[in-house]
Amino acid sequence: MNRDVPLNRIDLLVSLLMIVLVIGVTGGMGIYVLSDPGIRAASRLIVAAHAIEEYAVDPVNGERMIQTARDSMFSLLDRFSGYVDRQEFDQMREEMSGGYGGIGVTIIPHEDGLQIMSVREGGPAGKVGLLTGDILIGTDSVSFAKLGPGEASRYLRGEPGTTTNVRVFRPLTGDTTMVALMRERVPLVHVPFAGFTANDVMYIRVLDFDAGTADDIRSAVDSLQNVLGKEAVGVILDLRGNPGGLFAEAYRAANIFLDAGQFIVGTDGRSRWNEETHRSMHRDLTGGLPIAIIVNRGSASAAEIVAGALQQAGRAFLVGDTTFGKGLVQGFFGFPDGDGMRLTVSRYYFDNGVYLNRFDSTLVDTGDGLVPDHYYAYPELDPFVRSLENSLLLQEFAYRYMEDILGEDDLCNYGPILSSFAHHITTSGFVYSTPTTEAAEDLVYMARLEEAPPRILQLADRLLQRSQAEDRRLLFDHADYIALRLRQIAYEREYGTTRTYQDVLLPNRGDIRFAEELLLRRRS
């Protein structure tokens, strides 16, 4: 719960006394200050609170009354602004110390609960297939819609090894499912892998832009440039699912890939203190190598600053899907009791005056996002794939048949393994129905209910059987994705992150191969 200073008569009388002293001591200046509409409104609120507590016919919880007024005030702002209590600060310090126990998602408030802004790669939520845009409605007994984001997040965090059951709403399909998530210690590793593709393209995976990320990226570039026998022909910066982080880290990261004097990002706010322009100050560490940046709907905030700055400067092209669209910058204001607030203080923009959020951020707090130069259709967005991931059957099968999966190097030879997987999910009771099949089932039901003629019943049954057969074929339509995921899961368990990237993801993940192909095409 949010921690508030209790409201009592002494506090109210002191506040009123201070107002009188301001007028008495400063004279005309005090009258000028109190002529401000905001200060007058605040003084009226204090007087009203005192009157309610003193004279209302029934007892009133003063603390709750002020908390309600505070929540109403913040409801007029964008969803990235809000009251932050001391416990949330403790969580932030915990994260900065190297990790935290939770499910590995970045969340923002939503009218129905908490909306996922990004899913951390390899975290509990990622393992069960939760994706950007999913809405966490609550647990089996608690609705997140009735709680603030800080209080709701406490149901998601906890000791590693403990389980939380969360109801998840999927706006794309309209489905609500209950997902069991085992909390893990989520390590705050900014760059989990940096290496070369088979065609000598640098690949750098960046998970966030928290403190230290820019230094990790610089170290990765330095290390790769000093690998004996390797001469890089391009760079892939993978920001897929990166929720952002610190504004300063984004600026410093973009600075790595630009020569001195180039525009990176500017900020535009009501206060002059929040209006700044940032230009690069050093040389391009890569010497002008072509850059492809992989982005998707989970790439947000500071990740968008890096991608947008390099795109606008002509240093990089974007590959993937449209980014999240968070072009707002937050500042923090602390209170003496240890609580505080997070407040959107400016919008950022790129060269040529390109904003992500041009409109009233109170009404439109999510912009259009950065549009990729080259679109890639992510299979994870397919409803069948999402349903399969949520079932956890991929993990269950990969762990059970890990020896067989690791024993076959070529994904093209995964036919027998996929057949075994098809049998496994069938015997496990996994069933996926497309909207077409659901409509056909409704048609058969109505035909029988209305006692339709036999010919109509036969046609309805035939349509349903044909649609169900098409649904069963979806498994083999997504054979490439399933084979890659099975190998990825088995590799991560047996060999760890580095070998999984080098041996499995770099040679086989579609967006990486696409970005590499585009870089090589530009070089030739």
Side-chain angles (χ1 to χ4, degrees), residues 508-520:
N508 298 295
R509 213 178 80 190
D511 56 346
I512 298 176
R513 294 175 59 186
F514 184 39
E516 180 185 39
E517 179 186 330
L518 292 168
L519 284 170
L520 296 175

Side-chain angles (χ1 to χ4, degrees), residues 425-445:
I425 66 173
T426 300
T427 56
S428 298
F430 175 80
V431 177
Y432 175 78
S433 297
T434 60
T436 301
T437 298
E438 291 174 353
E441 289 172 345
D442 291 340
L443 179 62
V444 170
Y445 174 78

Side-chain angles (χ1 to χ4, degrees), residues 211-230:
T213 300
D215 289 337
D216 287 353
I217 295 174
R218 181 178 292 275
S219 296
V221 173
D222 280 334
S223 297
L224 294 176
Q225 286 180 323
N226 289 296
V227 174
L228 291 177
K230 289 287 187 182

Side-chain angles (χ1 to χ4, degrees), residues 19-311:
I19 293 172
V20 173
L21 286 174
V22 167
I23 297 174
V25 173
T26 62
M29 180 59 72
I31 295 173
Y32 173 77
V33 170
L34 290 178
S35 67
D36 180 271
I39 295 178
R40 288 204 312 272
S43 67
R44 286 197 297 268
L45 179 63
I46 293 172
V47 173
H50 172 61
I52 292 171
E53 187 177 51
E54 186 74 17
Y55 301 112
V57 63
D58 294 316
V60 177
N61 185 321
E63 182 178 349
R64 180 59 183 163
M65 181 168 57
I66 293 299
Q67 181 179 335
T68 301
R70 184 196 71 203
D71 293 343
S72 297
M73 180 171 61
F74 279 108
S75 70
L76 298 176
L77 305 177
D78 62 89
R79 56 180 167 163
F80 303 113
S81 300
Y83 190 86
V84 181
D85 66 24
R86 188 180 299 178
Q87 282 188 292
E88 288 184 74
F89 293 146
D90 291 340
Q91 290 178 356
M92 292 166 59
R93 284 191 288 270
E94 181 186 17
E95 291 181 9
M96 295 299 290
S97 69
Y100 63 94
I103 65 171
V105 294
T106 301
I107 54 174
I108 54 177
H110 187 277
E111 60 183 3
D112 295 324
L114 303 173
Q115 185 174 29
I116 295 179
M117 196 164 93
S118 69
V119 180
R120 193 168 187 88
E121 185 175 283
K127 292 177 181 178
V128 302
L130 298 188
L131 293 176
T132 299
D134 285 349
I135 298 170
L136 308 181
I137 299 174
T139 64
D140 19 11
S141 59
V142 177
S143 171
F144 290 164
K146 299 178 181 178
L147 304 177
E151 189 173 357
S153 67
R154 289 170 202 147
Y155 288 90
L156 305 179
R157 295 197 180 205
E159 287 297 318
T162 60
T163 300
T164 179
N165 296 313
V166 181
R167 290 198 311 279
V168 181
F169 174 67
R170 310 187 185 287
L172 290 178
T173 62
D175 296 330
T176 300
T177 57
M178 182 69 77
V179 179
L181 297 162
M182 179 172 288
R183 300 180 182 95
E184 296 178 4
R185 180 164 179 79
V186 181
L188 293 182
V189 177
H190 313 303
V191 179
F193 178 81
F196 281 98
T197 69
N199 294 302
D200 294 335
V201 173
M202 287 186 191
Y203 171 86
I204 303 173
R205 177 68 170 121
V206 185
L207 295 182
D208 59 50
F209 281 96
D210 289 333
T213 300
D215 289 337
D216 287 353
I217 295 174
R218 181 178 292 275
S219 296
V221 173
D222 280 334
S223 297
L224 294 176
Q225 286 180 323
N226 289 296
V227 174
L228 291 177
K230 289 287 187 182
E231 184 175 349
V233 298
V235 180
I236 296 175
L237 199 61
D238 190 348
L239 304 185
R240 188 174 76 152
N242 186 315
L246 301 176
F247 184 92
E249 291 296 321
Y251 161 72
R252 294 178 61 224
N255 203 31
I256 295 170
F257 303 99
L258 294 170
D259 286 323
Q262 291 186 272
F263 188 92
I264 294 179
V265 67
T267 60
D268 182 10
R270 282 177 58 190
S271 169
R272 291 183 179 180
W273 296 103
N274 296 318
E275 293 181 2
E276 300 176 338
T277 57
H278 301 269
R279 294 182 176 273
S280 51
M281 299 177 62
H282 307 291
R283 65 177 180 84
D284 178 358
L285 196 61
T286 70
L289 287 175
I291 303 171
I293 301 179
I294 298 177
V295 293
N296 67 353
R297 299 178 187 181
S299 306
S301 190
E304 291 175 292
I305 291 177
V306 175
L310 297 182
Q311 183 189 43

Side-chain angles (χ1 to χ4, degrees), residues 299-367:
S299 306
S301 190
E304 291 175 292
I305 291 177
V306 175
L310 297 182
Q311 183 189 43
Q312 285 295 314
R315 277 295 289 121
F317 58 88
L318 307 187
V319 179
D321 204 348
T322 302
T323 62
F324 185 84
K326 183 178 181 292
L328 305 173
V329 181
Q330 282 71 49
F332 166 74
F333 301 87
F335 301 142
D337 68 340
D339 290 359
M341 66 178 178
R342 188 170 43 247
L343 185 66
T344 296
V345 295
S346 61
R347 296 177 179 83
Y348 64 76
Y349 60 91
F350 304 115
D351 204 6
N352 303 314
V354 176
Y355 287 79
L356 290 185
N357 294 77
R358 282 186 173 274
F359 309 107
D360 183 348
S361 61
T362 302
L363 302 175
V364 185
D365 56 20
T366 302

